[in-house]
Coordinates of all heavy atoms in Angstrom, one line a residue:
M1 N 16.6 -7.2 -38.1 CA 15.6 -8.1 -37.5 C 14.4 -7.3 -37.1 O 14.6 -6.3 -36.4 CB 16.3 -8.8 -36.2 CG 15.4 -9.8 -35.6 SD 16.2 -10.6 -34.3 CE 15.0 -10.2 -32.9
K2 N 13.3 -7.8 -37.4 CA 12.0 -7.0 -37.1 C 11.4 -7.5 -35.8 O 11.4 -8.6 -35.6 CB 11.0 -7.2 -38.3 CG 9.8 -6.3 -38.1 CD 8.9 -6.4 -39.3 CE 7.8 -5.4 -39.1 NZ 6.8 -5.4 -40.2
I3 N 11.2 -6.6 -34.9 CA 10.6 -6.9 -33.7 C 9.1 -6.8 -33.7 O 8.5 -5.8 -34.1 CB 11.1 -6.0 -32.5 CG1 12.6 -6.1 -32.3 CG2 10.4 -6.2 -31.1 CD1 13.2 -5.1 -31.3
W4 N 8.5 -8.0 -33.5 CA 7.0 -8.0 -33.4 C 6.5 -7.5 -32.2 O 7.1 -7.6 -31.1 CB 6.5 -9.5 -33.7 CG 7.1 -10.1 -34.9 CD1 8.0 -10.9 -35.0 CD2 6.6 -9.8 -36.2 NE1 8.3 -11.3 -36.3 CE2 7.4 -10.6 -37.1 CE3 5.6 -9.0 -36.8 CZ2 7.2 -10.5 -38.4 CZ3 5.5 -9.0 -38.1 CH2 6.3 -9.8 -38.9
N5 N 5.2 -6.9 -32.3 CA 4.6 -6.3 -31.1 C 4.0 -7.4 -30.3 O 2.9 -7.9 -30.5 CB 3.5 -5.3 -31.6 CG 3.1 -4.5 -30.4 OD1 3.6 -4.5 -29.4 ND2 2.0 -3.7 -30.7
M6 N 4.8 -7.9 -29.3 CA 4.3 -9.1 -28.5 C 3.7 -8.5 -27.3 O 3.9 -7.4 -26.7 CB 5.6 -9.8 -27.9 CG 6.3 -10.6 -29.0 SD 7.6 -11.6 -28.3 CE 8.8 -11.4 -29.6
S7 N 2.7 -9.4 -26.8 CA 1.9 -9.0 -25.5 C 2.8 -9.5 -24.4 O 3.0 -10.7 -24.3 CB 0.6 -9.6 -25.6 OG -0.1 -9.3 -24.4
L8 N 3.1 -8.7 -23.5 CA 3.8 -9.0 -22.3 C 3.0 -8.9 -21.1 O 3.5 -8.6 -20.0 CB 5.2 -8.2 -22.2 CG 6.1 -8.3 -23.3 CD1 7.3 -7.4 -23.2 CD2 6.6 -9.8 -23.5
K9 N 1.6 -9.0 -21.2 CA 0.7 -8.8 -20.1 C 1.0 -9.8 -18.9 O 1.0 -9.4 -17.8 CB -0.7 -9.0 -20.6 CG -1.4 -7.8 -21.0 CD -2.9 -8.1 -21.3 CE -3.7 -6.8 -21.5 NZ -5.0 -7.0 -21.7
L10 N 1.2 -11.2 -19.3 CA 1.5 -12.2 -18.3 C 2.7 -11.8 -17.6 O 2.7 -11.8 -16.3 CB 1.6 -13.5 -18.9 CG 2.1 -14.6 -18.1 CD1 1.0 -15.0 -17.1 CD2 2.6 -15.8 -18.8
Q11 N 3.8 -11.4 -18.3 CA 5.1 -11.2 -17.6 C 5.0 -9.9 -16.7 O 5.5 -10.0 -15.6 CB 6.1 -11.0 -18.7 CG 6.6 -12.1 -19.4 CD 5.6 -12.6 -20.5 OE1 4.6 -12.0 -20.8 NE2 5.9 -13.8 -21.1
K12 N 4.2 -9.0 -17.2 CA 4.1 -7.7 -16.4 C 3.3 -8.1 -15.1 O 3.6 -7.6 -14.0 CB 3.3 -6.7 -17.1 CG 3.5 -5.3 -16.5 CD 3.2 -4.2 -17.5 CE 4.5 -3.4 -17.8 NZ 4.4 -2.1 -18.3
R13 N 2.2 -8.9 -15.2 CA 1.4 -9.3 -14.0 C 2.3 -10.0 -13.0 O 2.3 -9.8 -11.8 CB 0.2 -10.2 -14.5 CG -0.7 -10.5 -13.3 CD -1.8 -11.3 -13.8 NE -1.6 -12.5 -14.5 CZ -1.2 -13.6 -13.9 NH1 -1.1 -13.7 -12.5 NH2 -0.9 -14.7 -14.5
L14 N 3.1 -11.1 -13.5 CA 3.9 -11.9 -12.7 C 4.9 -11.1 -12.0 O 5.2 -11.2 -10.8 CB 4.6 -13.0 -13.5 CG 3.6 -14.1 -13.9 CD1 4.5 -15.1 -14.9 CD2 3.1 -14.8 -12.9
A15 N 5.6 -10.1 -12.8 CA 6.6 -9.2 -12.3 C 6.0 -8.3 -11.1 O 6.7 -8.1 -10.1 CB 7.1 -8.3 -13.3
A16 N 4.8 -7.9 -11.2 CA 4.1 -7.0 -10.3 C 4.0 -7.9 -9.0 O 4.2 -7.3 -8.0 CB 2.7 -6.4 -10.8
S17 N 3.6 -9.1 -9.2 CA 3.4 -10.0 -8.0 C 4.7 -10.2 -7.3 O 4.8 -10.3 -6.1 CB 2.8 -11.2 -8.5 OG 2.7 -12.2 -7.4
V18 N 5.7 -10.6 -8.1 CA 7.1 -10.9 -7.6 C 7.7 -9.7 -6.8 O 8.3 -9.8 -5.7 CB 8.1 -11.5 -8.7 CG1 9.5 -11.5 -8.2 CG2 7.6 -12.8 -9.2
L19 N 7.6 -8.5 -7.4 CA 8.2 -7.4 -6.9 C 7.3 -6.6 -5.9 O 7.7 -5.6 -5.4 CB 8.7 -6.4 -8.0 CG 9.6 -6.9 -9.0 CD1 9.9 -5.9 -10.1 CD2 10.9 -7.2 -8.3
K20 N 6.1 -7.2 -5.7 CA 5.1 -6.6 -4.7 C 4.8 -5.1 -5.0 O 5.0 -4.2 -4.1 CB 5.7 -6.8 -3.3 CG 5.8 -8.3 -2.8 CD 6.2 -8.3 -1.4 CE 6.2 -9.7 -0.9 NZ 7.3 -10.5 -1.4
C21 N 4.4 -4.9 -6.2 CA 4.0 -3.5 -6.6 C 2.9 -3.6 -7.6 O 2.5 -4.7 -8.1 CB 5.2 -2.7 -7.0 SG 5.9 -3.3 -8.5
G22 N 2.4 -2.4 -8.1 CA 1.4 -2.4 -9.2 C 2.0 -2.7 -10.5 O 3.3 -2.5 -10.8
K23 N 1.2 -2.9 -11.6 CA 1.7 -3.2 -12.9 C 2.3 -1.9 -13.6 O 3.2 -2.0 -14.4 CB 0.6 -3.7 -13.8 CG 0.2 -5.2 -13.5 CD -0.9 -5.6 -14.4 CE -2.2 -5.1 -13.8 NZ -3.4 -5.8 -14.3
R24 N 1.8 -0.8 -13.2 CA 2.3 0.5 -13.7 C 3.8 0.8 -13.2 O 4.4 1.7 -13.8 CB 1.4 1.6 -13.5 CG 1.3 2.0 -12.0 CD 0.2 3.0 -11.8 NE 0.4 4.4 -12.2 CZ 1.0 5.4 -11.6 NH1 1.3 5.2 -10.2 NH2 1.3 6.5 -12.1
K25 N 4.2 0.1 -12.1 CA 5.6 0.4 -11.6 C 6.6 -0.6 -12.2 O 7.8 -0.5 -11.8 CB 5.5 0.2 -10.1 CG 4.8 1.3 -9.4 CD 5.7 2.4 -9.3 CE 5.0 3.6 -8.5 NZ 4.9 4.9 -9.3
I26 N 6.2 -1.4 -13.1 CA 7.1 -2.4 -13.7 C 7.7 -1.9 -15.0 O 7.0 -1.4 -15.9 CB 6.3 -3.8 -14.0 CG1 5.8 -4.4 -12.8 CG2 7.2 -4.8 -14.8 CD1 6.8 -4.7 -11.7
W27 N 9.1 -1.9 -15.1 CA 9.7 -1.6 -16.4 C 10.3 -2.9 -17.0 O 11.0 -3.6 -16.3 CB 10.8 -0.6 -16.0 CG 11.7 -0.2 -17.2 CD1 11.4 0.8 -18.1 CD2 12.9 -0.8 -17.6 NE1 12.4 0.8 -19.1 CE2 13.3 -0.2 -18.8 CE3 13.7 -1.8 -17.1 CZ2 14.5 -0.4 -19.5 CZ3 14.9 -2.1 -17.8 CH2 15.3 -1.4 -18.9
L28 N 10.0 -3.1 -18.2 CA 10.6 -4.2 -18.9 C 11.5 -3.6 -20.0 O 11.2 -2.7 -20.8 CB 9.4 -5.0 -19.7 CG 8.3 -5.5 -18.8 CD1 7.2 -6.0 -19.7 CD2 8.7 -6.5 -17.9
D29 N 12.7 -4.2 -20.1 CA 13.7 -3.7 -21.0 C 13.3 -4.0 -22.4 O 13.0 -5.1 -22.9 CB 14.9 -4.6 -20.8 CG 16.2 -3.9 -21.5 OD1 16.0 -3.1 -22.5 OD2 17.3 -4.3 -21.2
P30 N 13.1 -2.8 -23.2 CA 12.6 -2.9 -24.6 C 13.5 -3.6 -25.5 O 13.1 -4.1 -26.6 CB 12.4 -1.4 -24.9 CG 13.1 -0.6 -24.0 CD 13.3 -1.5 -22.7
N31 N 14.8 -3.6 -25.2 CA 15.8 -4.3 -26.0 C 15.9 -5.8 -25.9 O 16.4 -6.6 -26.6 CB 17.2 -3.8 -25.7 CG 17.3 -2.2 -25.9 OD1 16.7 -1.8 -26.9 ND2 17.9 -1.6 -25.1
E32 N 15.2 -6.3 -24.8 CA 15.2 -7.7 -24.5 C 13.8 -8.3 -24.5 O 13.5 -9.3 -23.7 CB 15.9 -8.0 -23.1 CG 17.2 -7.4 -23.0 CD 18.3 -8.2 -23.8 OE1 17.9 -9.4 -24.3 OE2 19.3 -7.7 -24.1
I33 N 12.9 -7.8 -25.3 CA 11.5 -8.2 -25.4 C 11.4 -9.8 -25.7 O 10.6 -10.5 -25.1 CB 10.8 -7.5 -26.4 CG1 10.5 -6.1 -25.9 CG2 9.4 -8.1 -26.8 CD1 9.9 -5.2 -26.9
N34 N 12.3 -10.3 -26.6 CA 12.2 -11.7 -27.0 C 12.6 -12.6 -25.8 O 11.8 -13.6 -25.5 CB 13.3 -12.0 -28.1 CG 12.9 -11.4 -29.4 OD1 11.6 -11.2 -29.6 ND2 13.8 -11.0 -30.2
E35 N 13.5 -12.3 -25.0 CA 13.9 -13.0 -23.8 C 12.8 -12.9 -22.7 O 12.4 -13.9 -22.1 CB 15.2 -12.6 -23.2 CG 15.8 -13.5 -22.2 CD 17.2 -13.2 -21.8 OE1 17.9 -12.5 -22.5 OE2 17.6 -13.7 -20.7
I36 N 12.3 -11.7 -22.5 CA 11.3 -11.5 -21.6 C 10.0 -12.3 -21.9 O 9.3 -12.9 -21.0 CB 10.9 -10.0 -21.3 CG1 12.1 -9.2 -20.7 CG2 9.7 -9.8 -20.5 CD1 12.1 -7.7 -20.8
S37 N 9.6 -12.4 -23.2 CA 8.4 -13.1 -23.6 C 8.5 -14.6 -23.3 O 7.5 -15.2 -23.1 CB 8.2 -12.8 -25.1 OG 9.2 -13.4 -25.8
L38 N 9.8 -15.1 -23.1 CA 9.9 -16.5 -22.9 C 9.6 -16.8 -21.3 O 9.3 -18.0 -21.0 CB 11.3 -17.0 -23.3 CG 11.6 -16.9 -24.7 CD1 13.1 -17.3 -24.9 CD2 10.7 -17.8 -25.6
A39 N 9.6 -15.9 -20.5 CA 9.4 -16.1 -19.1 C 7.9 -16.4 -18.9 O 7.1 -15.4 -19.1 CB 9.9 -14.8 -18.3
N40 N 7.6 -17.5 -18.4 CA 6.2 -17.8 -18.1 C 5.9 -18.3 -16.7 O 4.9 -18.9 -16.4 CB 5.7 -18.8 -19.1 CG 6.5 -20.1 -19.0 OD1 7.4 -20.3 -18.3 ND2 6.1 -21.1 -19.9
S41 N 6.9 -18.0 -15.8 CA 6.7 -18.5 -14.4 C 7.3 -17.4 -13.5 O 8.1 -16.6 -13.9 CB 7.4 -19.8 -14.1 OG 8.8 -19.6 -14.2
R42 N 6.9 -17.4 -12.3 CA 7.4 -16.4 -11.3 C 9.0 -16.6 -11.1 O 9.6 -15.6 -10.9 CB 6.7 -16.6 -9.9 CG 5.3 -16.1 -9.9 CD 4.6 -16.5 -8.6 NE 3.2 -16.6 -8.9 CZ 2.4 -15.5 -8.8 NH1 2.9 -14.3 -8.7 NH2 1.1 -15.6 -9.1
R43 N 9.4 -17.8 -11.1 CA 10.8 -18.0 -11.0 C 11.7 -17.4 -12.1 O 12.7 -16.9 -11.9 CB 11.1 -19.5 -10.8 CG 12.6 -19.8 -10.7 CD 12.9 -21.3 -10.3 NE 12.3 -21.5 -8.9 CZ 12.2 -22.8 -8.4 NH1 12.4 -23.8 -9.1 NH2 11.8 -22.9 -7.2
N44 N 11.1 -17.6 -13.4 CA 11.7 -17.0 -14.5 C 11.8 -15.5 -14.4 O 12.8 -14.8 -14.8 CB 11.1 -17.4 -15.8 CG 11.3 -18.9 -16.1 OD1 12.2 -19.5 -15.6 ND2 10.5 -19.4 -17.0
V45 N 10.7 -14.9 -14.0 CA 10.6 -13.5 -13.9 C 11.5 -13.0 -12.8 O 12.2 -11.9 -12.9 CB 9.2 -13.1 -13.5 CG1 9.0 -11.6 -13.0 CG2 8.2 -13.2 -14.7
A46 N 11.7 -13.7 -11.7 CA 12.6 -13.4 -10.6 C 14.0 -13.3 -11.1 O 14.9 -12.5 -10.8 CB 12.4 -14.2 -9.4
R47 N 14.3 -14.3 -12.0 CA 15.7 -14.4 -12.5 C 15.9 -13.2 -13.5 O 17.0 -12.6 -13.4 CB 15.8 -15.7 -13.4 CG 17.2 -15.9 -13.9 CD 17.4 -17.2 -14.7 NE 16.3 -17.4 -15.7 CZ 16.4 -16.7 -16.9 NH1 17.4 -15.9 -17.2 NH2 15.4 -16.9 -17.8
L48 N 14.9 -12.8 -14.3 CA 15.1 -11.6 -15.1 C 15.3 -10.3 -14.4 O 16.0 -9.5 -14.7 CB 13.8 -11.5 -16.1 CG 13.7 -12.6 -17.2 CD1 12.4 -12.4 -17.9 CD2 14.8 -12.5 -18.1
Q49 N 14.6 -10.3 -13.2 CA 14.8 -9.1 -12.3 C 16.1 -9.1 -11.7 O 16.7 -8.0 -11.7 CB 13.8 -9.2 -11.2 CG 13.6 -7.9 -10.4 CD 14.2 -8.1 -8.9 OE1 14.3 -9.3 -8.4 NE2 14.8 -7.0 -8.5
K50 N 16.7 -10.2 -11.4 CA 18.1 -10.3 -10.9 C 19.1 -9.9 -12.0 O 20.1 -9.2 -11.7 CB 18.4 -11.7 -10.5 CG 19.5 -11.8 -9.5 CD 19.9 -13.2 -9.1 CE 20.8 -13.8 -10.1 NZ 21.2 -15.1 -9.9
D51 N 18.8 -10.2 -13.3 CA 19.6 -9.8 -14.4 C 19.5 -8.4 -14.8 O 20.3 -7.9 -15.7 CB 19.4 -10.8 -15.6 CG 19.7 -12.2 -15.3 OD1 20.5 -12.5 -14.2 OD2 19.2 -13.1 -16.1
G52 N 18.4 -7.7 -14.3 CA 18.2 -6.3 -14.6 C 17.3 -6.0 -15.9 O 17.2 -5.0 -16.4
L53 N 16.6 -7.1 -16.4 CA 15.8 -6.9 -17.5 C 14.5 -6.4 -17.1 O 13.7 -5.8 -17.9 CB 15.7 -8.2 -18.3 CG 16.9 -8.8 -18.8 CD1 16.7 -10.1 -19.6 CD2 17.8 -7.9 -19.6
I54 N 14.1 -6.7 -15.9 CA 12.8 -6.3 -15.4 C 13.2 -5.5 -14.0 O 13.9 -6.0 -13.2 CB 11.9 -7.5 -15.0 CG1 11.4 -8.2 -16.2 CG2 10.6 -6.9 -14.3 CD1 10.6 -9.4 -16.0
M55 N 12.7 -4.2 -13.9 CA 12.9 -3.5 -12.7 C 11.7 -2.8 -12.3 O 10.7 -2.6 -12.9 CB 13.9 -2.3 -13.1 CG 15.3 -2.9 -13.4 SD 16.6 -1.7 -13.3 CE 16.2 -0.6 -14.6
K56 N 11.7 -2.5 -11.0 CA 10.6 -1.7 -10.3 C 10.9 -0.2 -10.4 O 12.0 0.2 -10.0 CB 10.5 -2.2 -8.8 CG 9.4 -1.6 -8.1 CD 9.4 -2.2 -6.6 CE 8.3 -1.6 -5.7 NZ 8.3 -2.2 -4.5
K57 N 10.0 0.6 -11.0 CA 10.2 2.0 -11.2 C 10.1 2.6 -9.8 O 9.4 2.2 -8.9 CB 9.1 2.6 -12.1 CG 9.2 2.2 -13.5 CD 8.1 2.9 -14.3 CE 7.9 2.4 -15.6 NZ 6.7 2.9 -16.3
P58 N 10.8 3.8 -9.6 CA 10.7 4.5 -8.3 C 9.3 5.1 -8.2 O 8.6 5.4 -9.1 CB 11.8 5.6 -8.4 CG 12.0 5.8 -9.9 CD 11.7 4.4 -10.5
A59 N 9.0 5.5 -6.9 CA 7.7 6.1 -6.6 C 7.6 7.4 -7.2 O 8.6 8.2 -7.3 CB 7.5 6.2 -5.1
V60 N 6.5 7.8 -7.7 CA 6.2 9.1 -8.4 C 6.0 10.2 -7.3 O 5.3 9.9 -6.3 CB 5.0 9.1 -9.3 CG1 4.7 10.4 -9.9 CG2 5.2 8.1 -10.4
V61 N 6.8 11.2 -7.4 CA 6.6 12.4 -6.5 C 5.4 13.2 -6.6 O 5.0 13.5 -7.7 CB 7.8 13.3 -6.6 CG1 7.8 14.5 -5.7 CG2 9.2 12.5 -6.4
H62 N 4.6 13.3 -5.5 CA 3.4 14.2 -5.6 C 3.7 15.4 -4.7 O 3.4 15.3 -3.5 CB 2.2 13.4 -5.1 CG 0.9 13.9 -5.3 ND1 -0.2 13.2 -5.4 CD2 0.6 15.2 -5.5 CE1 -1.3 14.1 -5.6 NE2 -0.8 15.3 -5.6
S63 N 4.1 16.5 -5.3 CA 4.5 17.7 -4.6 C 3.3 18.5 -4.1 O 2.3 18.6 -4.7 CB 5.4 18.6 -5.6 OG 5.6 19.7 -4.9
R64 N 3.5 19.0 -2.8 CA 2.5 19.8 -2.3 C 2.9 21.2 -2.2 O 2.3 22.1 -1.5 CB 2.3 19.3 -0.8 CG 1.5 18.0 -0.6 CD 1.1 17.7 0.8 NE 0.4 18.9 1.4 CZ -0.8 19.1 1.4 NH1 -1.7 18.4 0.7 NH2 -1.3 20.1 2.1
S65 N 3.9 21.6 -3.0 CA 4.3 23.0 -3.0 C 3.3 24.0 -3.4 O 3.1 25.1 -2.9 CB 5.5 23.2 -3.9 OG 5.2 23.0 -5.3
R66 N 2.5 23.7 -4.4 CA 1.4 24.6 -4.8 C 0.4 24.7 -3.7 O -0.2 25.8 -3.4 CB 0.8 24.1 -6.2 CG 1.5 24.4 -7.4 CD 1.0 23.8 -8.6 NE 0.8 22.3 -8.6 CZ 1.7 21.5 -8.9 NH1 2.9 21.9 -9.3 NH2 1.5 20.2 -8.8
V67 N 0.0 23.6 -3.1 CA -1.0 23.7 -1.9 C -0.4 24.5 -0.8 O -1.2 25.3 -0.2 CB -1.3 22.3 -1.4 CG1 -2.2 22.3 -0.2 CG2 -1.8 21.4 -2.6
T68 N 0.8 24.4 -0.5 CA 1.5 25.2 0.6 C 1.4 26.6 0.3 O 1.1 27.5 1.2 CB 2.9 24.7 0.8 OG1 2.9 23.3 1.0 CG2 3.5 25.3 2.1
A69 N 1.7 27.0 -0.9 CA 1.7 28.4 -1.4 C 0.3 29.0 -1.3 O 0.1 30.1 -0.8 CB 2.4 28.5 -2.7
R70 N -0.6 28.3 -1.7 CA -2.1 28.7 -1.7 C -2.5 28.8 -0.3 O -3.2 29.9 0.1 CB -2.9 27.7 -2.5 CG -4.4 28.3 -2.6 CD -5.3 27.4 -3.4 NE -6.6 27.8 -3.4 CZ -7.1 28.6 -4.2 NH1 -6.4 29.3 -5.1 NH2 -8.4 29.0 -4.2
L71 N -2.2 28.0 0.7 CA -2.6 28.1 2.1 C -2.0 29.3 2.7 O -2.6 29.9 3.5 CB -2.3 26.8 2.8 CG -3.1 25.5 2.6 CD1 -2.5 24.4 3.2 CD2 -4.5 25.8 2.9
E72 N -0.7 29.5 2.4 CA 0.1 30.7 2.8 C -0.7 32.0 2.4 O -0.9 33.0 3.2 CB 1.5 30.7 2.3 CG 2.3 31.8 2.9 CD 2.5 31.9 4.3 OE1 2.7 30.6 4.9 OE2 2.5 32.9 5.0
A73 N -1.1 32.1 1.1 CA -1.9 33.2 0.6 C -3.2 33.4 1.3 O -3.7 34.5 1.7 CB -2.1 33.0 -0.9
K74 N -3.9 32.2 1.6 CA -5.2 32.3 2.3 C -5.1 32.8 3.7 O -5.9 33.5 4.2 CB -5.8 30.9 2.3 CG -6.5 30.6 0.9 CD -7.3 29.3 0.9 CE -8.6 29.4 1.7 NZ -9.7 29.8 0.9
R75 N -3.9 32.5 4.3 CA -3.7 33.0 5.7 C -3.5 34.5 5.7 O -3.8 35.1 6.6 CB -2.4 32.4 6.3 CG -2.6 31.0 6.9 CD -1.5 30.5 7.7 NE -1.4 29.1 7.5 CZ -0.4 28.5 6.7 NH1 0.5 29.1 6.1 NH2 -0.5 27.1 6.6
K76 N -3.0 35.0 4.5 CA -2.9 36.5 4.4 C -4.3 37.1 3.9 O -4.3 38.3 3.7 CB -1.8 36.8 3.3 CG -0.5 36.5 3.8 CD 0.5 36.8 2.7 CE 1.9 36.6 3.1 NZ 2.9 36.8 2.0
G77 N -5.3 36.3 3.6 CA -6.6 36.8 3.3 C -6.9 36.7 1.8 O -7.9 37.3 1.4
R78 N -6.1 36.2 1.0 CA -6.3 36.1 -0.5 C -7.3 34.9 -0.7 O -7.5 34.1 0.1 CB -5.0 35.8 -1.2 CG -3.7 36.6 -0.9 CD -3.8 38.1 -0.9 NE -2.6 38.7 -0.8 CZ -2.2 39.4 0.2 NH1 -2.9 39.6 1.3 NH2 -1.0 40.0 0.1
H79 N -7.8 34.9 -1.9 CA -8.7 33.9 -2.4 C -9.9 33.7 -1.5 O -10.4 32.6 -1.3 CB -8.0 32.5 -2.5 CG -6.6 32.4 -3.1 ND1 -6.4 32.7 -4.4 CD2 -5.4 32.4 -2.6 CE1 -5.2 32.6 -4.7 NE2 -4.5 32.4 -3.6
T80 N -10.5 34.9 -1.1 CA -11.6 34.8 -0.2 C -12.8 35.7 -0.8 O -13.6 36.1 0.1 CB -11.2 35.2 1.2 OG1 -10.7 36.6 1.1 CG2 -10.2 34.3 1.9
G81 N -12.8 35.9 -2.1 CA -13.8 36.8 -2.6 C -15.2 36.1 -2.7 O -15.3 35.0 -2.4
K82 N -16.1 36.9 -3.3 CA -17.5 36.4 -3.4 C -17.6 35.1 -4.3 O -18.2 34.1 -4.0 CB -18.3 37.5 -4.1 CG -19.8 37.3 -4.0 CD -20.6 38.4 -4.6 CE -21.0 39.4 -3.5 NZ -21.9 40.5 -4.1
L83 N -16.8 35.2 -5.4 CA -16.8 34.0 -6.3 C -16.3 32.8 -5.7 O -16.8 31.6 -5.9 CB -16.0 34.3 -7.6 CG -16.7 35.2 -8.5 CD1 -15.7 35.5 -9.8 CD2 -17.9 34.5 -9.2
N84 N -15.3 32.9 -4.9 CA -14.7 31.7 -4.2 C -15.7 31.1 -3.2 O -15.7 29.9 -3.0 CB -13.4 32.1 -3.4 CG -12.3 32.4 -4.4 OD1 -12.0 31.6 -5.3 ND2 -11.7 33.6 -4.3
K85 N -16.5 31.9 -2.5 CA -17.5 31.5 -1.7 C -18.6 30.7 -2.4 O -19.2 29.7 -2.0 CB -18.1 32.6 -0.8 CG -17.2 33.0 0.3 CD -17.8 34.2 1.1 CE -16.9 34.6 2.2 NZ -15.6 34.9 2.0
L86 N -18.9 31.2 -3.6 CA -19.9 30.5 -4.4 C -19.4 29.1 -4.9 O -20.2 28.2 -5.0 CB -20.3 31.3 -5.7 CG -21.1 32.7 -5.5 CD1 -21.2 33.4 -6.8 CD2 -22.6 32.2 -5.0
K87 N -18.1 29.1 -5.3 CA -17.5 27.9 -5.7 C -17.6 26.8 -4.6 O -17.8 25.6 -4.8 CB -16.1 28.1 -6.1 CG -15.9 28.7 -7.4 CD -14.4 28.9 -7.7 CE -14.1 29.9 -8.7 NZ -12.7 30.2 -8.8
L88 N -17.4 27.2 -3.4 CA -17.4 26.4 -2.2 C -18.7 25.7 -2.0 O -18.8 24.5 -1.7 CB -17.0 27.2 -1.0 CG -16.0 26.5 -0.1 CD1 -15.0 27.7 0.2 CD2 -16.6 26.0 1.1
H89 N -19.9 26.4 -2.3 CA -21.1 25.8 -2.0 C -21.7 25.2 -3.3 O -22.8 24.6 -3.2 CB -22.1 26.9 -1.5 CG -21.7 27.5 -0.1 ND1 -21.7 26.8 1.0 CD2 -21.2 28.7 0.2 CE1 -21.2 27.5 2.0 NE2 -20.9 28.7 1.6
A90 N -21.1 25.3 -4.4 CA -21.6 24.8 -5.6 C -21.4 23.3 -5.7 O -20.6 22.7 -5.1 CB -21.1 25.4 -6.9

């Protein structure tokens, strides 16, 4: 069976609204595209979410480890040369 490249824009928008998150946080099951494409209401999308065909992705981690390491080095007097001062005012 050949899977056609269906547009699931509506379903993704409705899912984002139902799950109270952005469209980039929505995961649609690639194996169930045909069933997901039939959902054209919030109630249908909520049912698909309950069945596990539509899920909310976890929050992306934004690590501050590099910033912390750089600040530690700056406390020791690193990264304070002439070029760095020029970059600051540019």
Side-chain angles (χ1 to χ4, degrees):
M1 185 176 125
K2 188 172 183 181
I3 296 176
W4 301 102
N5 193 8
M6 291 184 216
S7 176
L8 301 173
K9 269 185 164 178
L10 171 72
Q11 288 78 5
K12 196 161 246 201
R13 181 179 61 79
L14 290 174
S17 175
V18 169
L19 298 177
K20 295 183 175 73
C21 65
K23 288 180 282 202
R24 67 189 289 264
K25 288 281 181 238
I26 298 298
W27 177 83
L28 305 173
D29 191 342
N31 301 320
E32 302 292 341
I33 288 177
N34 292 328
E35 192 172 340
I36 293 171
S37 66
L38 298 174
N40 59 359
S41 69
R42 289 170 203 277
R43 183 170 286 167
N44 289 345
V45 167
R47 183 179 55 77
L48 290 174
Q49 188 255 331
K50 199 181 88 178
D51 295 343
L53 303 183
I54 295 176
M55 291 198 293
K56 185 177 179 177
K57 290 184 197 170
V60 177
V61 175
H62 191 155
S63 175
R64 284 191 51 86
S65 63
R66 285 179 296 278
V67 176
T68 310
R70 186 174 174 89
L71 287 174
E72 183 65 35
K74 280 186 73 91
R75 276 188 220 110
K76 291 180 178 178
R78 314 309 192 248
H79 312 291
T80 56
K82 195 181 265 187
L83 282 175
N84 292 302
K85 285 179 176 51
L86 286 174
K87 286 180 202 169
L88 227 133
H89 296 295

